[in-house]
């Protein structure tokens, strides 16, 4: 058995090349690797290498010609690039998720804020202007103008709706009209806190009525709300004129001893707030599940009730507080049960 020694020497050991400047670097040391195995003869090989670390890669079962020189730092380089890319992707995902959370929090804040302003301005108007059908029609008219402007200036794409879809939306528009009309009627007669305690049951009826009327029809939430708003105005305006007459005019308000500017401005602010909070509500519904939206709606009731009690200085007895708390707690628990129920089935 004989041994063969393989030496890897630096370019400095070959006189003909004379790489003097290359070898003059401080800290450069020749790399010498020796390997012993059975071979018939002794061979001496000299290989010139650049100034980097090298290793021999082979399989013990392969003959001599299968040995390859592979830079030892090639795999770590690739691994480092991949690791850096993965870290960058992870940071990008974290940044994107943070932006989405902040955006959703802003939408919830606007939803609550617009709802508070709507109830305050609406209550102030209905206390002196006792025509809830007319006020409801004015609110839908303002919403229709806003939707038309959005479509005209391409702030939101004008939808292409079929006749079948319009027929399916009509019942939803009627329910939307009744909901707003009854809200305005109650705000003109009772406190805001009582109105929103009753409206806390809204998620339950929304689930039932959506299943009844909407069926399999699917539209973008904002598109659906826009069509419902326009359809509500078209359906309610003739009813308002027939039931209450044309009352929303400066001449009638002056004859009734009202401050025309104050009533008109607050009515328009209430209408803008009404459309804004409903629009934001549908925007939130595009981003979260219906159950999460219902929980947020329940929290919104609490915020509106507390703010209205503080603003209007409404006296609240202990029994009223307990009743309101029980109603809101019941709606909250209902929302939680709706969220847990699918998980139980899946298990």
């Amino acid at each position: 058995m004989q041994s063969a020694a393989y030496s890897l020497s630096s370019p400095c050991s070959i006189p003909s090349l004379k790489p003097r400047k290359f070898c003059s670097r401080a800290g450069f040391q020749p790399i010498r690797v020796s390997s012993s195995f059975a071979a018939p003869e002794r061979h001496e090989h000299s290989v010139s290498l650049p100034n980097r670390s090298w290793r021999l890669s082979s399989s013990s079962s392969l003959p001599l010609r299968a040995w390859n020189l592979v830079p030892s730092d090639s795999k770590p380089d690739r691994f480092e690039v991949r690791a850096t890319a993965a870290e960058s992707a992870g940071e990008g995902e974290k940044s994107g998720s943070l932006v989405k959370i902040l955006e959703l929090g802003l939408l919830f804040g606007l939803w609550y804020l617009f709802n508070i302003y709507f109830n305050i301005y609406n209550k102030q108007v209905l206390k002196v202007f006792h025509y809830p059908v007319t006020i409801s029609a004015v609110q839908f008219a303002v919403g229709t103008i806003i939707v038309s402007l959005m479509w005209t200036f391409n702030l939101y794409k004008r939808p292409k709706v079929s006749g079948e879809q319009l027929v399916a939306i009509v019942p939803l528009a009627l329910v939307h009209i009744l909901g707003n009309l009854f809200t305005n009627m109650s705000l003109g007669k009772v406190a805001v806190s009582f109105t929103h305690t009753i409206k806390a049951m809204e998620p339950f009826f929304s689930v039932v009525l959506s299943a009844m009327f909407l069926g399999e029809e699917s539209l973008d939430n904002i598109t659906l709300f826009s069509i419902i708003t326009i359809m509500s105005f078209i359906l309610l305006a003739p009813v308002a004129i027939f039931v209450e007459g044309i009352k929303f005019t400066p001449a009638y308000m002056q004859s009734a001893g009202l401050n025309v500017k104050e009533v008109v401005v607050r009515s328009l602010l209430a209408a803008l707030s009404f459309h804004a909070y409903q629009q934001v509500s549908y925007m939130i519904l595009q981003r979260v599940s219906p159950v999460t939206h219902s929980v947020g709606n329940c929290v919104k009731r609490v915020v509106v009730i507390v703010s209205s009690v503080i603003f209007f200085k409404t006296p609240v007895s202990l029994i009223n507080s307990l009743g309101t708390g029980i109603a809101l707690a019941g709606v909250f628990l209902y929302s939680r049960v709706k969220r847990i129920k699918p998980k139980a089935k899946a298990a």
Side-chain angles (χ1 to χ4, degrees):
M1 300 293 290
Q2 295 180 350
S3 63
Y6 294 86
S7 62
L8 303 178
S9 60
S10 69
C12 300
S13 62
I14 304 175
S16 60
L17 298 179
K18 297 181 181 181
R20 296 182 181 275
K21 294 183 180 180
F22 179 77
C23 299
S24 62
R25 294 182 180 179
F28 177 83
Q29 298 294 335
I31 301 173
R32 187 177 186 85
V33 181
S34 62
S35 173
S36 299
F37 57 92
E41 295 180 0
R42 179 181 179 88
H43 300 278
E44 187 75 16
H45 298 277
S46 179
V47 182
S48 61
L49 303 175
N51 186 15
R52 62 189 301 178
S53 175
W54 293 74
R55 65 179 173 82
L56 289 173
S57 174
S58 71
S59 174
S60 60
S61 62
L62 298 177
L64 176 63
R65 64 177 177 272
W67 287 73
N68 297 316
L69 292 174
V70 181
S72 63
D73 56 344
S74 60
K75 289 185 178 181
D77 285 345
R78 289 195 298 268
F79 174 76
E80 182 179 355
V81 171
R82 292 175 183 175
T84 304
E87 290 176 0
S88 300
E91 291 177 358
E93 290 178 359
K94 290 181 180 179
S95 177
S97 62
L98 180 61
V99 170
K100 289 181 180 179
I101 292 173
L102 293 176
E103 184 183 38
L104 187 60
L106 177 63
L107 289 176
F108 269 97
L110 291 174
W111 187 24
Y112 294 178
L113 185 64
F114 286 136
N115 206 299
I116 291 171
Y117 278 116
F118 164 70
N119 284 277
I120 290 176
Y121 288 129
N122 214 23
K123 177 67 176 177
Q124 290 176 336
V125 171
L126 290 168
K127 282 174 65 177
V128 297
F129 190 80
H130 307 290
Y131 298 99
V133 183
T134 300
I135 292 298
S136 299
V138 169
Q139 291 168 358
F140 290 135
V142 171
T144 300
I145 293 172
I146 294 174
V147 171
S148 300
L149 291 175
M150 290 175 62
W151 288 347
T152 301
F153 294 102
N154 291 325
L155 299 177
Y156 202 82
K157 187 178 180 181
R158 185 190 300 271
K160 295 181 179 179
V161 186
S162 64
E164 294 180 356
Q165 289 176 323
L166 289 175
V167 171
I169 294 173
V170 169
L172 295 176
L174 292 174
V175 173
H176 188 61
I177 291 171
L178 292 175
N180 189 37
L181 180 58
F182 290 150
T183 298
N184 289 335
M185 290 174 66
S186 63
L187 285 175
K189 298 181 179 298
V190 299
V192 175
S193 57
F194 180 77
T195 299
H196 281 273
T197 300
I198 302 301
K199 286 188 70 175
M201 290 299 294
E202 187 178 58
F204 170 76
F205 290 102
S206 297
V207 172
V208 174
L209 293 175
S210 296
M212 289 173 58
F213 297 123
L214 193 57
E216 298 298 326
E217 296 292 335
S218 59
L219 288 173
D220 175 69
N221 286 337
I222 307 302
T223 301
L224 179 62
F225 170 66
S226 301
I227 297 173
I228 287 176
T229 299
I230 296 174
M231 194 174 292
S232 298
F233 170 67
I234 294 173
L235 294 174
L236 187 61
V239 177
I241 296 173
F242 178 77
V243 174
E244 296 178 346
I246 303 176
K247 303 295 185 183
F248 199 75
T249 61
Y252 177 81
M253 294 180 191
Q254 287 178 352
S255 64
L258 301 176
N259 188 326
V260 178
K261 182 180 179 180
E262 187 175 280
V263 173
V264 171
V265 169
R266 293 187 181 184
S267 297
L268 294 178
L269 289 175
L272 289 172
S273 300
F274 173 73
H275 183 82
Y277 95 76
Q278 298 240 10
Q279 177 102 19
V280 173
S281 175
Y282 278 86
M283 292 171 66
I284 293 174
L285 193 57
Q286 283 186 326
R287 291 166 170 79
V288 301
S289 66
V291 176
T292 302
H293 188 273
S294 297
V295 174
N297 195 26
C298 184
V299 176
K300 184 198 69 177
R301 301 295 177 199
V302 177
V303 174
V304 172
I305 289 171
V306 172
S307 62
S308 65
V309 167
I310 295 173
F311 183 84
F312 293 108
K313 299 179 181 179
T314 307
V316 180
S317 64
L318 179 61
I319 296 177
N320 290 338
S321 300
L322 290 175
T324 302
I326 292 171
L328 295 174
V331 174
F332 178 77
L333 292 176
Y334 165 78
S335 301
R336 298 298 297 176
V337 168
K338 291 289 290 183
R339 184 177 183 179
I340 295 172
K341 190 175 180 181
K343 294 182 179 180
K345 288 183 177 180

